[in-house]
Amino acid sequence: MKLAQMFTHYHEVLLLDEPTTHLDQEGITFLLDELRYYYGAIVLISHDRAVLDELVTTIWEIHQGEVHVYSGNYSDYQAQKRLEREQQNQAHEQFSKEKRRLELAAREKMKKAEKITQAGSMSKKESKAKPNRMVETKSKGTSQKAVHRAAKAIEQRMQQLHEVKAVQEDRPMIFRQPKTLELHNRFPIMADRLTLEVEGNVLLEDVSFQIPLKQKIAITGANGSGKSTLLNHVFHGGDHITMSPKAKLGYFQQMSYRFTTKETVLQFLKNRSEYEESELRSALHAMQFTGNDLLKNVGTLSGGEAIRIQLCHLFLGQYNILLLDEPTNFLDMHALEALERFIKAYEGTILYVSHDQRFIENTADQQFQISDRRLLQVTI
């Protein structure tokens, strides 16, 4: 309604803050149709990569208090970021080589100075009556000072080197499933002639489906078609749903999570997971919990932080099937890409609802769409 209202008048500039959040595919298509040939300027905040690729001609990246400008759409931005990382790694390699070379040269000079000192000590033990002894000692002293000066100059050059750090690559995620949580049913979730009705409104009628073991299944459809209702029905093992007896379901719902415990972020996960602390820290780091963030009380977390730790909890907890209802809403790009890595690395079965087509393409093995009270398999 708000978007439609905005488009009833022409504006020279549109400022759009996450306009695709909560929109279904029809709503996103409407938005793109309106903006694709818009004659005014558009400043858009979005984590929908398909929308950014379709619309934008410039990317402004805010990083550590600075704005970095990249020409092109999101795919162009990614290509430029990859090139930046490659160039940074090359510069780091050159810096490391030069530093090692100078360190070696400085050590060689110091060794040479030590040899001169040792030679001088030996000469003092010899007879002092030799006529040229004083000249030789003076010469060695001068040489020793020269070598020390050269070593000092090398050290100064090392200090003047501009340090270039290596790119911090994201660690690969590994989610191991304990033997006690292993499922052996080929289809741990099945529905037979399922009909879903809410307040007299039939959402699904006489629907049957099977969810294959360890598959990642995306469910799409218009707002109000019954996607969230279906997930909720599966989670509660409702009528006409057959579930593997060993199924342990984790459920992410569309809501702002609030925690009432007094645990820290790290304690919260440690108390609900059998993973080693290093693995918990790795997952939290991927979801942007670093340093003092791990010591925050979970009751004080912002809405976005609470969502990110809840996702960590689901992937690291004692579950073998995850149900995720619109998990990408309110995640920034970094957390969104981390969630994609989580899903790819997860050994269990995942059934999720999303309108983010790029996210679906990157993570789903199969896609089902709710349309006209039916559940249809569609090509990704």
Side-chain angles (χ1 to χ4, degrees), residues 84-353:
E84 281 183 1
R85 288 194 294 270
E86 290 170 7
Q87 291 172 339
Q88 183 176 336
N89 278 332
Q90 288 172 359
H92 169 73
E93 194 174 330
Q94 287 180 328
F95 161 76
S96 299
K97 283 182 179 178
E98 182 64 8
K99 186 179 178 183
R100 285 195 298 270
R101 188 186 71 80
L102 291 174
E103 286 173 341
L104 182 61
R107 282 199 297 269
E108 290 298 322
K109 292 292 182 185
M110 293 307 294
K111 282 181 184 178
K112 190 173 180 181
E114 286 173 10
K115 286 180 180 179
I116 294 171
T117 303
Q118 289 171 0
S121 299
M122 291 293 292
S123 65
K124 286 178 182 178
K125 295 177 182 179
E126 296 176 3
S127 172
K128 296 181 180 180
K130 293 181 180 179
N132 63 343
R133 176 56 53 202
M134 192 174 292
V135 176
E136 286 179 5
T137 302
K138 186 176 179 181
S139 175
K140 285 175 181 175
T142 304
S143 299
Q144 188 180 21
K145 287 179 182 178
V147 173
H148 273 294
R149 281 197 302 272
K152 196 79 174 174
I154 292 172
E155 287 177 358
Q156 288 175 345
R157 284 175 61 188
M158 285 171 56
Q159 291 171 0
Q160 291 169 358
L161 281 179
H162 176 63
E163 182 178 1
V164 180
K165 294 183 178 180
V167 175
Q168 294 296 314
E169 300 291 348
D170 293 313
R171 302 170 192 169
M173 301 305 304
I174 300 173
F175 297 108
R176 305 177 316 278
Q177 283 217 324
K179 291 288 183 183
T180 54
L181 288 177
E182 280 188 10
L183 295 176
H184 300 287
N185 304 51
R186 286 182 57 206
F187 302 101
I189 303 173
M190 295 186 291
D192 182 36
R193 304 189 67 178
L194 168 66
T195 295
L196 277 185
E197 186 176 332
V198 176
E199 298 179 353
N201 181 28
V202 178
L203 302 173
L204 289 170
E205 187 172 20
D206 206 26
V207 166
S208 298
F209 60 82
Q210 296 176 321
I211 303 301
L213 182 65
K214 296 188 177 182
Q215 292 279 287
K216 281 71 174 180
I217 310 296
I219 299 177
T220 59
N223 286 341
S225 62
K227 303 181 299 298
S228 298
T229 304
L230 175 59
L231 276 197
N232 192 57
H233 190 76
V234 169
F235 178 71
H236 289 98
D239 294 341
H240 301 276
I241 296 291
T242 302
M243 194 83 62
S244 169
K246 292 178 66 178
K248 300 291 183 184
L249 274 65
Y251 189 19
F252 178 90
Q253 295 177 275
Q254 278 193 74
M255 61 170 65
S256 295
Y257 282 91
R258 285 291 179 266
F259 303 103
T260 56
T261 70
K262 294 183 179 180
E263 300 161 294
T264 66
V265 166
L266 185 57
Q267 286 172 339
F268 179 85
L269 281 190
K270 287 178 75 172
N271 293 339
R272 291 161 181 79
S273 175
E274 293 186 352
Y275 282 82
E276 297 292 331
E277 183 174 319
S278 60
E279 296 170 309
L280 300 180
R281 286 176 177 271
S282 180
L284 286 167
H285 183 268
M287 279 292 178
Q288 301 172 81
F289 289 101
T290 58
N292 291 332
D293 293 337
L294 304 184
L295 303 177
K296 284 183 179 179
N297 187 311
V298 292
T300 66
L301 296 179
S302 68
E305 288 174 326
I307 286 172
R308 298 202 307 272
I309 194 175
Q310 179 64 10
L311 287 169
C312 286
H313 166 223
L314 289 173
F315 281 88
L316 294 164
Q318 297 296 295
Y319 308 108
N320 47 32
I321 297 174
L322 298 182
L323 308 178
L324 310 177
D325 191 5
E326 298 275 13
T328 64
N329 281 356
F330 309 114
L331 294 184
D332 62 26
M333 205 68 77
H334 188 95
L336 176 59
E337 291 173 353
L339 177 58
E340 289 183 348
R341 296 199 301 275
F342 280 21
I343 290 176
K344 291 173 185 175
Y346 191 67
E347 291 185 353
T349 306
I350 300 179
L351 187 63
Y352 68 82
V353 171

